[in-house]
DNA sequence: CGGCGTACG
DNA sequence: CGTA
DNA sequence: GCCG
């Protein structure tokens, strides 16, 4: 088992690795392709890990570019999130390390203007921040401190601000908005007056927040695991990966293995390419199958962190078989990199009424698929130096029986906050229970059928809300 | 002062 | 605990 | 932290 080996064809052979906790990345610009290849081979021959692609597993960025500002501009242009915890180094650190045959301690003379750029980095973060971003930071910070109430309150505040058709320019307009109380209004006032929030900036500059944010960005790592690693003194991915007592589960292994790919946004063209792949597979198995793109892309977003599809067939009860066949087919195509399959059946004993048929299968799966560059219209959006010709993408497939299609569509179209609010509304205001499978009226003690999303909104006594209006 | 979405592995 |  |  090699949970730590990077998913690059030119990955350094494992037997030669001497320094597990150091991962180099050589910046090609100013260095040139051939010199970069030469230095890469040199370092690998001395037992160093050299990454071909810049991602958050990298611990030491080495550049020959002395123009600090343009280097940092380039680094920030990428999607790397842990710049504050990376060493960004001069070539002198590299040559010293090669001479010694081991990574030498990082000294001030090796650093490329770290202090100035570090400040600049957090500055661009905050100044480029919108009000809603500020509230997301507050929410996240409270989540990391295990304060679920305040976390949720700030998430709602962020959603309310996001849903406004205008940009907030004075306090007056926000005065009678829901979910904005005393604390939130103070934050808004501060940002409107000074362009920044002391509280938010304190959080952003907090080491614990930065590290927990980094750790939880790995698929399979949540706040509790991140906190556990932080308490044990671990501060970087390499700390975690080099710690022999840490046992990563299957999800976390995939999370690290494909980190660079799945932490990068998925474009609409990539989502469509995946749609073609799934469409081909589904219809080869069941000609009259129905495939629907859902999730953020159904809400009209241009980018997402994954791609969600609903797969079903008009023949009731055949849908679970369809999903397993699709997974098998993807496996045989060699593009299935990770699969967590959930074959679920409705547990009617838990429900207040027992009027449902017994055969109520409702299968879903969380996948990581290999998407080829050639399959994407306009090509994959990758870094210049990434010559693999493919990327990994998170894909979710859910396969309801057709008679529950509307509930599944509503439940998987999101956003997360919209789903929460809708379910809370159903429970609190209508005494109804809503989930991905059904809508139950507690007063009438009966399930309410629906063939379209409009039916469900009607049952709830709500105006229909278009998918692109559900971002909050 | 209690509740905060719901369901699965 | 993690995922959606 | 905000709301019923």
């Amino acid at each position: 088992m090699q949970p730590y080996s990077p998913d690059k064809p030119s990955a350094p052979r494992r037997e030669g690795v001497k320094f597990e906790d150091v991962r180099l990345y050589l910046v090609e610009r100013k260095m040139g392709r051939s010199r970069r290849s030469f230095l890469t081979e040199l370092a690998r021959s001395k037992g160093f890990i050299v990454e071909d692609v810049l991602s958050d597993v990298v611990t030491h960025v080495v550049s020959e570019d002395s123009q600090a500002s343009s280097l940092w501009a380039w680094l920030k242009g990428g999607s790397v999130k842990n710049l504050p915890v990376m060493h960004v180094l001069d070539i002198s650190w590299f040559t010293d390390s090669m001479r010694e045959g081991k990574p030498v301690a990082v000294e001030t003379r090796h650093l490329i203007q770290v202090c100035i750029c570090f400040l600049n980095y957090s500055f661009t973060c905050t100044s480029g921040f919108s009000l809603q971003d500020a509230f997301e930071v507050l929410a996240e910070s409270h989540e990391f401190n295990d304060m679920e109430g305040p976390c949720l309150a700030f998430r709602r505040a962020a959603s309310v601000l996001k849903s406004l058709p205008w940009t907030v320019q004075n306090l007056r307009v926000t005065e009678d908005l829901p979910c904005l109380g005393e604390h939130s209004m103070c934050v808004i006032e501060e940002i409107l007056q000074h362009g920044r929030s002391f509280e938010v900036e304190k959080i952003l500059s907090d080491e614990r927040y930065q590290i927990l944010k980094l750790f939880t960005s790995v698929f399979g790592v949540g706040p509790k695991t991140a906190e556990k690693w932080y308490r044990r003194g671990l501060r970087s991915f390499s700390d975690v990966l080099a710690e022999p007592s840490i046992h990563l589960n299957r999800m976390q292994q995939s999370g690290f293995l494909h980190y660079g790919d799945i932490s990068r946004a998925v474009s609409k063209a990539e989502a469509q390419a995946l749609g073609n792949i799934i469409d081909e597979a589904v219809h080869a198995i069941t000609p009259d199958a129905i495939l629907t793109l859902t999730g953020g892309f159904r809400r009209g977003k241009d980018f997402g962190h994954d791609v969600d599809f609903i797969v079903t067939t008009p023949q009731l009860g055949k849908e679970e078989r369809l999903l397993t066949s699709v997974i098998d087919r993807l496996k045989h195509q060699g593009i299935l990199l990770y699969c967590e399959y959930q074959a679920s059946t409705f547990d009617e004993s838990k429900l207040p009424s027992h009027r449902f048929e017994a055969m109520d299968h409702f299968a879903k799966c969380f996948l990581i698929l290999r998407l080829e560059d050639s399959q994407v219209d306009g090509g994959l959006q990758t870094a210049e130096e990434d010559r693999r010709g493919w990327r990994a993408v998170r894909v979710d497939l859910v396969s309801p029986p057709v008679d529950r299609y509307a509930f599944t569509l509503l439940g998987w179209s999101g956003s997360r906050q919209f789903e929460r609010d809708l379910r809370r509304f159903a429970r609190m205001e209508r005494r109804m229970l809503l989930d991905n499978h059904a809508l139950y009226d507690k007063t009438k003690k009966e399930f309410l059928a629906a063939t379209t999303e409009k039916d469900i909104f009607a049952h709830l006594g709500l105006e229909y809300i278009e998918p692109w209006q559900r971002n909050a």
Side-chain angles (χ1 to χ4, degrees):
Chain A
M1 186 176 57
Q2 299 188 21
Y4 316 140
S5 57
D7 54 357
K8 317 297 185 304
S10 54
R13 51 273 174 205
R14 198 175 166 74
E15 65 274 16
V17 172
K18 287 198 209 156
F19 317 107
E20 284 282 357
D21 52 348
V22 172
R23 287 178 179 233
L24 306 187
Y25 175 80
L26 304 180
V27 181
E28 188 169 305
R29 209 159 55 96
K30 288 284 165 78
M31 189 179 284
R33 177 99 61 91
S34 56
R35 177 163 163 78
R36 182 176 184 248
S37 306
F38 170 76
L39 294 178
T40 298
E41 281 314 306
L42 176 68
R44 286 178 182 167
S45 73
K46 288 179 184 285
F48 289 78
I49 301 175
V50 183
E51 297 287 332
D52 292 324
V53 178
L54 180 62
S55 75
D56 283 359
V57 299
V58 169
T59 58
H60 296 65
V61 177
V62 176
S63 172
E64 261 184 331
D65 188 355
S66 51
Q67 297 290 321
S69 58
S70 61
L71 172 64
W72 279 88
W74 179 78
L75 287 173
K76 281 188 258 176
S79 56
V80 175
K81 292 170 192 145
N82 71 338
L83 275 182
V85 295
M86 271 182 191
H87 292 118
V88 179
L89 302 163
D90 197 71
I91 194 73
S92 66
W93 177 86
F94 184 88
T95 50
D96 286 359
S97 298
M98 291 306 112
R99 194 175 50 240
E100 302 266 333
K102 61 171 195 278
V104 299
V106 173
E107 296 171 34
T108 319
R109 63 190 174 85
H110 298 129
L111 302 180
I112 296 182
Q113 304 246 348
V114 165
C115 286
I116 292 163
C117 296
F118 191 97
L119 291 172
N120 186 23
Y121 176 78
S122 77
F123 174 72
T124 46
C125 266
T126 36
S127 70
F129 264 19
S130 63
L131 270 183
Q132 49 161 311
D133 294 331
F135 282 98
E136 287 294 350
V137 170
L138 289 168
E140 212 165 18
S141 157
H142 284 86
E143 183 171 47
F144 292 155
N145 291 312
D146 206 20
M147 299 164 74
E148 286 175 55
C151 166
L152 187 55
F154 285 125
R155 287 250 149 81
R156 288 184 188 142
S159 278
V160 165
L161 294 170
K162 184 158 53 178
S163 68
L164 293 178
W166 61 81
T167 325
V168 174
Q169 281 175 4
N170 62 66
L171 267 186
R172 291 291 304 277
V173 281
T174 64
E175 260 165 20
D176 10 70
L177 289 175
C179 308
L180 299 178
E182 192 187 340
H183 191 143
S184 295
M185 292 299 279
C186 282
V187 173
I188 294 173
E189 183 173 19
E190 200 186 355
I191 292 178
L192 289 180
Q193 280 190 12
H194 305 105
R196 54 204 298 191
S197 157
F198 176 75
E199 191 181 1
V200 172
E201 295 199 2
K202 204 178 101 192
I203 293 166
L204 285 173
S205 63
D206 179 47
E207 194 214 19
R208 185 182 126 89
Y209 170 82
Q210 290 173 5
I211 304 295
L212 293 190
K213 179 141 179 86
L214 177 68
F215 286 171
T216 54
S217 73
V218 177
F219 180 59
V221 180
K224 303 297 173 186
T225 307
E227 160 75 24
K228 196 173 77 189
W229 291 350
Y230 185 84
R231 266 192 286 112
R232 292 174 58 169
L234 308 174
R235 294 293 181 271
S236 67
F237 288 164
S238 30
D239 287 350
V240 173
L241 297 176
E243 176 56 55
S245 65
I246 286 185
H247 235 78
L248 301 176
N249 63 31
R250 207 172 66 87
M251 201 185 281
Q252 292 160 345
Q253 287 177 26
S254 289
F256 276 111
L257 193 58
H258 303 292
Y259 183 82
D261 281 342
I262 63 185
S263 59
R264 190 149 32 90
V266 182
S267 70
K268 200 179 278 185
E270 289 165 345
Q272 279 159 3
L274 284 157
N276 296 337
I277 293 168
I278 306 294
D279 191 78
E280 190 274 331
V282 160
H283 287 109
I285 295 155
T286 307
D288 61 352
I290 304 156
L291 176 70
T292 313
L293 176 65
T294 176
F297 289 106
R298 180 164 182 254
R299 299 198 308 275
K301 290 183 65 180
D302 292 325
F303 293 95
H305 92 284
D306 66 358
V307 192
D308 305 305
F309 295 99
I310 300 176
V311 171
T312 191
T313 146
Q315 302 151 281
L316 255 170
K318 292 277 180 233
E319 64 282 341
E320 177 155 4
R321 175 66 206 285
L322 172 61
L323 188 57
T324 54
S325 303
V326 169
I327 294 169
D328 268 349
R329 196 178 168 90
L330 298 172
K331 197 182 293 171
H332 281 99
Q333 288 173 10
I335 62 171
L336 191 61
L337 302 175
Y338 172 87
C339 174
E340 185 181 307
Y341 176 68
Q342 302 186 358
S344 78
T345 76
F346 228 159
D347 187 355
E348 23 180 331
S349 62
K350 281 187 192 159
L351 292 169
S353 165
H354 296 241
R355 299 233 262 103
F356 262 163
E357 316 85 282
M359 298 168 54
D360 229 336
H361 296 283
F362 196 137
K364 63 175 182 267
C365 59
F366 306 143
L367 311 176
I368 297 176
L369 296 186
R370 177 183 165 118
L371 179 64
E372 299 293 329
D373 182 60
S374 57
Q375 295 173 302
V376 182
D377 183 29
L380 287 171
Q381 245 207 318
T382 55
E384 273 177 48
E385 67 279 8
D386 182 356
R387 305 224 155 72
R388 292 173 301 164
W390 63 277
R391 68 166 289 184
V393 187
R394 279 273 300 105
V395 175
D396 296 328
L397 302 182
V398 51
S399 189
V402 257
D403 60 335
R404 308 297 170 68
Y405 175 81
F407 295 102
T408 310
L409 185 61
L410 182 61
W412 280 78
S413 292
S415 66
R416 182 175 126 116
Q417 196 57 42
F418 176 84
E419 301 297 337
R420 286 177 154 194
D421 290 341
L422 196 64
R423 287 162 197 218
R424 199 155 53 101
F425 176 86
R427 176 187 289 276
M428 301 302 176
E429 310 296 327
R430 297 289 185 257
R431 297 192 42 79
M432 291 178 183
L433 301 174
L434 174 67
D435 68 8
N436 288 351
H437 314 76
L439 178 63
Y440 179 75
D441 188 322
K442 288 194 280 186
T443 313
K444 293 182 185 167
K445 295 186 178 171
E446 66 180 18
F447 286 95
L448 305 173
T451 52
T452 66
E453 287 183 316
K454 286 192 172 116
D455 297 339
I456 304 171
F457 283 101
H459 284 313
L460 290 169
L462 290 172
E463 297 263 322
Y464 178 68
I465 301 171
E466 297 287 350
W468 51 90
Q469 302 277 75
R470 304 179 197 168
N471 285 311

